[in-house]
Amino acid sequence: MDKNLARKEIDRLREAIAQHDVRYYVLAQPEISDTEYDRLYKQLLSLEKQFPDLTTPDSPTQRVGGQRVGGFESARHRTPMLSLDNTYNENEVLEWDDRLRKAAGTTEFDYVVEPKIDGVSVSLIYENGAFVRGVTRGDGDTGDDITHNLRTLRSIPLRLRLPFPKWLDVRGEIYMDKKDFAKLNATLTKHGEESFANSRNASAGSLRQKDPAVTASRPLRFLAHSIGTVEGGGWKTHWEFLKACRQLGIPTPPMVVHGDTVMDCMRQCRRLERDRDELPYEIDGAVIKVNVLSIREKVGMTQKSPRWAVAYKFEAQQATTQVLDIITSVGRTGTVTPVAKLKPVGVGGVTVSNATLHNFDEIKRLDVKIGDWVLIQRAGDVIPQVLHVITSRRIGKEKAFPVPAMCPECGALIAKEKEVEVAYRCTNPGCPAQLTRGVVHFAGRSAMDIEGLGEVAVVQLVEKKFVKDMADIYTLSKKEALQMELFADKKADNLMAAIEKSKTRPLSRFLFGLGVRHVGEKAAYVLAQKYLTIDALAEASQADLQAIHEIGPVMAEAIVSYFKLPTTQTLLRKFKRAGLTMKEDAAKRRGLQPFQGKTVVFTGEMEKYSRPEAERMVREYGGNAAGSVSAKTDFVVAGKEPGSKAAKAQKLGVKILSEKQFLKLLPENGN
Ligand code: IVH
């Protein structure tokens, strides 16, 4: 392609990507699938690679600069970042309004009510439409410059859309959607890393990363809620400011309403409180603000909060109760997690009797002891947590819970792997608890998919010492299987058949099942596609592995050390002797991607494959398997007794395939 043409194409792609970002984050009306978006992005990337001098810092490909920073530089706010006064009931809101009207000397103004997002506030600076700096609130006057990390958020435009003000400091909240937060924690736990206590901590922690690539991998989002300094805005009201933000490409909170009187605002506060669980992100209150900017100026501020706005805090989903005991459980990677056993207590309609304590640092931080009265919080679907100890209720008989020296399950020493880690792990690779969780994972649906090898069965097999490592599954005899509770002839036969069938599972699933630290389902797939056999992978050097786009240094190191372990070598030898193939199908690599870029939804029962199997195949052949039908669905596969999804597909005009038609698309069936 000639350079002029490339320049045009690059401009077109950047504009398209920016527009899709706005559609996704500002309008919440995505037009294309993630795969299509990725395709545009890859096209742009490859053109910029071909013509490096056409790459500019505001290109969407330059979000992750790649630089690691030593520490964060301080940056002073041109206008201080204030906080809000809190109110907890209608009376306090009315009192605030009285003071406000007095200061304003008029009642001729209106209000805006917004959800109060439970995140981390930041200030974004745009000079001549370009994002130049992003700063944390800090002490209100000076914060940390976290520009490199904020640049990685797709919801923060690198360039504003026209017409933009000459200088803009827009403030807002960095947060995570509840769903994304839960997923992030699950992934961290799965990889043996520490999870976050709540989404606010997760956002703060993700922003304070030295490596922007880590921030980029976290599901952070931004919503604007206030103006810092602006030159050339010309807005008279907050409402106009919010509207302008959306035109500039900056997302603003949904559910913002206008109020003529303070009672209108109260009504909206109650509505938000009632519907808080339905919002995709955590909110801890509502914010009532004066709409007219000139009135804001007139009333000014008190020591550190404006007179023109107030937070109405929702009733917390909290309760006090007593810690009856602290117990520990051992995970698949040996992490020992403390859990508080509580005197059962109702919180927001649910009885809570356990709260996670996350790790032993958290016990120390909270200074929680057995017998203590504590304040606990339940938010959405996350596991309840202990917020703090009510020390005034101590009677002196509370018992401290020291970090156990030994694994509660096997008695081996427990230790931190590295000093900087918070997690203590059992150091015994033969720990029955670790082995049990590891085998359950290995046999799980996303790994070897051995039906009948769930937690209950595996606990018994480990207890009876029939299974001393993962490979022992394959030497299990029917006689041994019959010794398990509730295992009669047929069930034992089925288990033996399921075990046999799993021997030919592809390398990607086998690898995921092994549970190598940091290697999740996607990484396992990438590795399997690259190396095709377990032996080739076992020989890969750290440099080889790191050369793969999706594999970072931490994972590469974990893989190399895993394959170096003598226990791993023994394990692999046993798997081989048992007849496991541990191979990936090279056909897929040669570009057989019948589902490339397609989103498929399954409904009803199929004969040949289980739902997860069919979904996995779609993914392996380049597509995306979704759970629900939308206009973005390419086709719905309807098995026996299809559900409402088929009806919805029909309504939306989405193509419906029978199981037979679907099978025909699969390369293994001759396509
Ligand atoms: S207005 C002058 N609006 O709550 C204060 N703040 O304690 C400007 N927050 O630091 C803030 N949602 O980080 C405003 N819709 C919203 C908000 C919001 C969350 C945070 C903000 C602020 C804290 C106030």
Side-chain angles (χ1 to χ4, degrees):
M1 190 183 290
D2 103 330
K3 196 161 172 181
N4 269 333
L5 207 63
R7 184 175 289 126
K8 268 198 201 137
E9 183 60 8
I10 283 178
D11 280 348
R12 186 191 69 81
L13 287 165
R14 283 184 192 161
E15 176 57 23
I17 288 170
Q19 277 198 20
H20 289 305
D21 284 341
V22 171
R23 288 200 141 268
Y24 192 91
Y25 291 102
V26 183
L27 307 172
Q29 288 169 339
E31 206 175 42
I32 58 171
S33 68
D34 292 354
T35 334
E36 278 170 86
Y37 182 94
D38 288 344
R39 196 158 51 212
L40 292 176
Y41 186 89
K42 279 190 190 132
Q43 274 173 13
L44 177 61
L45 203 61
S46 101
L47 276 176
E48 287 181 348
K49 221 177 196 168
Q50 236 176 305
F51 299 96
D53 53 322
L54 295 181
T55 312
T56 54
D58 63 357
S59 170
T61 59
Q62 302 303 301
R63 283 194 178 271
V64 185
Q67 315 86 320
R68 278 169 167 268
V69 286
F72 298 105
E73 305 234 330
S74 299
R76 213 178 154 76
H77 301 299
R78 235 167 105 174
T79 320
M81 284 182 84
L82 306 175
S83 61
L84 293 170
D85 283 337
N86 291 329
T87 57
Y88 296 91
N89 54 49
E90 185 175 302
N91 202 28
E92 289 176 7
V93 172
L94 294 177
E95 280 172 10
W96 164 76
D97 192 54
D98 282 344
R99 288 193 300 273
L100 168 66
R101 291 200 220 181
K102 211 179 268 166
T106 170
T107 52
E108 291 297 301
F109 57 82
D110 52 351
Y111 309 79
V112 172
V113 183
E114 293 172 357
K116 186 170 185 299
I117 306 145
D118 199 10
V120 180
S121 67
V122 292
S123 141
L124 309 180
I125 311 293
Y126 287 89
E127 282 178 19
N128 294 317
F131 175 55
V132 292
R133 200 160 49 260
V135 184
T136 61
R137 176 166 180 269
D139 62 6
D141 289 317
T142 309
D144 288 334
D145 184 327
I146 51 165
T147 313
H148 288 311
N149 289 343
L150 289 173
R151 280 176 61 89
T152 66
L153 272 67
R154 266 177 60 196
S155 52
I156 295 181
L158 296 175
R159 279 227 128 253
L160 297 179
R161 313 190 77 72
L162 281 162
F164 46 72
K166 197 165 165 303
W167 210 92
L168 175 66
D169 170 357
V170 54
R171 276 110 190 241
E173 216 69 6
I174 303 287
Y175 69 98
M176 283 180 197
D177 274 354
K178 292 179 217 168
K179 244 187 6 222
D180 290 337
F181 166 63
K183 237 192 256 167
L184 170 66
N185 258 357
T187 311
L188 289 173
T189 313
K190 200 156 141 188
H191 292 173
E193 289 167 45
E194 276 322 297
S195 56
F196 289 102
N198 54 50
S199 72
R200 194 164 183 282
N201 287 4
S203 302
S206 303
L207 283 178
R208 296 205 63 81
Q209 295 291 329
K210 293 198 170 140
D211 182 356
V214 177
T215 309
S217 73
R218 301 283 167 82
L220 295 168
R221 290 168 183 255
F222 173 79
L223 285 176
H225 56 54
S226 33
I227 323 171
T229 312
V230 55
E231 289 173 20
W235 310 308
K236 292 203 168 48
T237 62
H238 185 64
W239 197 261
E240 280 174 25
F241 157 72
L242 290 176
K243 191 168 156 210
C245 279
R246 292 188 290 272
Q247 280 161 353
L248 293 167
I250 302 171
T252 60
M255 318 256 281
V256 177
V257 304
H258 178 266
D260 281 322
T261 67
V262 72
M263 285 317 285
D264 286 346
C265 299
M266 256 334 288
R267 264 192 292 280
Q268 176 62 8
C269 288
R270 292 212 185 87
R271 231 174 276 140
L272 281 171
E273 179 157 20
R274 188 193 59 204
D275 297 339
R276 67 191 288 189
D277 284 343
E278 279 158 39
L279 278 171
Y281 45 82
E282 222 53 81
I283 63 174
D284 58 349
V287 185
I288 310 178
K289 302 175 176 180
V290 169
N291 189 24
V292 187
L293 300 186
S294 61
I295 298 278
R296 288 190 181 186
E297 233 166 80
K298 189 158 178 212
V299 300
M301 53 184 274
T302 61
Q303 211 146 41
K304 60 176 192 45
S305 34
R307 282 201 184 84
W308 46 262
V310 77
Y312 171 80
K313 298 277 274 193
F314 296 157
E315 205 172 295
Q317 291 172 316
Q318 296 174 345
T320 53
T321 186
Q322 199 176 16
V323 177
L324 300 178
D325 198 3
I326 295 177
I327 60 157
T328 49
S329 77
V330 183
R332 173 162 63 85
T333 57
T335 316
V336 182
T337 306
V339 176
K341 290 273 163 203
L342 306 170
K343 193 170 181 175
V345 63
V347 192
V350 177
T351 304
V352 170
S353 45
N354 290 314
T356 175
L357 291 166
H358 300 287
N359 53 57
F360 296 100
D361 279 8
E362 180 77 354
I363 294 189
K364 221 188 315 168
R365 188 184 72 77
L366 292 165
D367 183 31
V368 58
K369 298 178 177 168
I370 298 168
D372 264 334
W373 282 84
V374 290
L375 180 70
I376 61 154
Q377 172 163 292
R378 188 187 74 90
D381 300 330
V382 286
I383 310 168
Q385 50 175 323
V386 174
L387 290 182
H388 61 80
V389 172
I390 302 163
T391 39
S392 59
R393 290 187 73 166
R394 279 197 171 151
I395 52 168
K397 289 196 174 153
E398 296 76 15
K399 272 200 309 224
F401 186 80
V403 179
M406 271 147 358
C407 170
E409 308 255 6
C410 75
L413 281 179
I414 73 168
K416 285 189 181 186
E417 214 156 75
K418 295 189 197 109
E419 203 33 54
V420 290
E421 271 193 5
V422 274
Y424 280 87
R425 292 175 207 279
C426 167
T427 52
N428 172 16
C431 169
Q434 279 184 63
L435 176 63
T436 305
R437 312 256 139 76
V439 173
V440 170
H441 171 77
F442 181 79
R445 275 197 158 185
S446 305
M448 299 301 262
D449 197 12
I450 305 174
E451 213 180 315
L453 267 195
E455 177 106 23
V456 180
V458 176
V459 167
Q460 299 181 63
L461 292 176
V462 170
E463 233 167 45
K464 294 188 194 301
K465 304 218 164 20
F466 294 155
V467 167
K468 293 199 216 66
D469 64 30
M470 285 177 185
D472 286 343
I473 296 174
Y474 294 99
T475 47
L476 193 70
S477 65
K478 183 176 169 189
K479 208 169 124 209
E480 286 166 337
L482 281 170
Q483 289 184 41
M484 286 192 283
E485 251 170 61
L486 300 177
F487 265 73
D489 202 45
K490 177 107 193 290
K491 201 164 168 193
D493 276 340
N494 287 348
L495 178 61
M496 300 319 286
I499 291 174
E500 189 59 32
K501 196 172 155 202
S502 75
K503 290 181 178 175
T504 53
R505 296 261 187 264
L507 176 64
S508 46
R509 292 172 59 172
F510 172 76
L511 190 57
F512 174 60
L514 284 179
V516 184
R517 192 83 60 80
H518 304 293
V519 179
E521 206 171 347
K522 171 127 189 261
Y525 181 68
V526 170
L527 288 165
Q529 287 289 303
K530 168 94 185 158
Y531 289 99
L532 302 178
T533 66
I534 193 82
D535 291 337
L537 174 63
E539 278 166 24
S541 72
Q542 183 156 343
D544 293 340
L545 292 165
Q546 246 171 278
I548 306 171
H549 180 61
E550 289 89 344
I551 313 293
V554 177
M555 204 198 297
E557 196 198 326
I559 296 167
V560 172
S561 357
Y562 177 81
F563 283 109
K564 258 199 216 138
L565 288 175
T567 42
T568 307
Q569 284 160 14
T570 311
L571 197 61
L572 293 182
R573 215 168 293 130
K574 285 173 79 174
F575 278 128
K576 247 180 237 167
R577 203 170 308 145
L580 271 75
T581 51
M582 299 176 280
K583 267 196 204 132
E584 196 73 358
D585 189 351
K588 286 165 206 165
R589 237 177 124 200
R590 285 201 298 266
L592 280 174
Q593 299 273 303
F595 297 108
Q596 181 65 44
K598 298 268 191 273
T599 299
V600 185
V601 175
F602 290 92
T603 177
E605 200 181 315
M606 277 178 297
E607 274 169 28
K608 183 153 179 193
Y609 298 112
S610 71
R611 172 91 51 96
E613 273 173 341
E615 289 181 346
R616 197 165 298 120
M617 271 188 290
V618 167
R619 262 182 253 122
E620 282 173 3
Y621 289 119
N624 173 30
S628 61
V629 179
S630 76
K632 287 195 293 183
T633 311
D634 290 288
F635 49 83
V636 168
V637 180
K640 257 193 284 172
E641 294 178 31
S644 61
K645 291 177 196 172
K648 185 155 181 207
Q650 216 158 26
K651 211 165 103 193
L652 291 172
V654 173
K655 196 165 164 190
I656 301 179
L657 298 184
S658 66
E659 178 175 352
K660 227 175 171 174
Q661 287 168 311
F662 166 71
L663 294 177
K664 267 200 188 149
L665 291 176
L666 294 172
E668 44 250 75
N669 297 325
N671 173 32

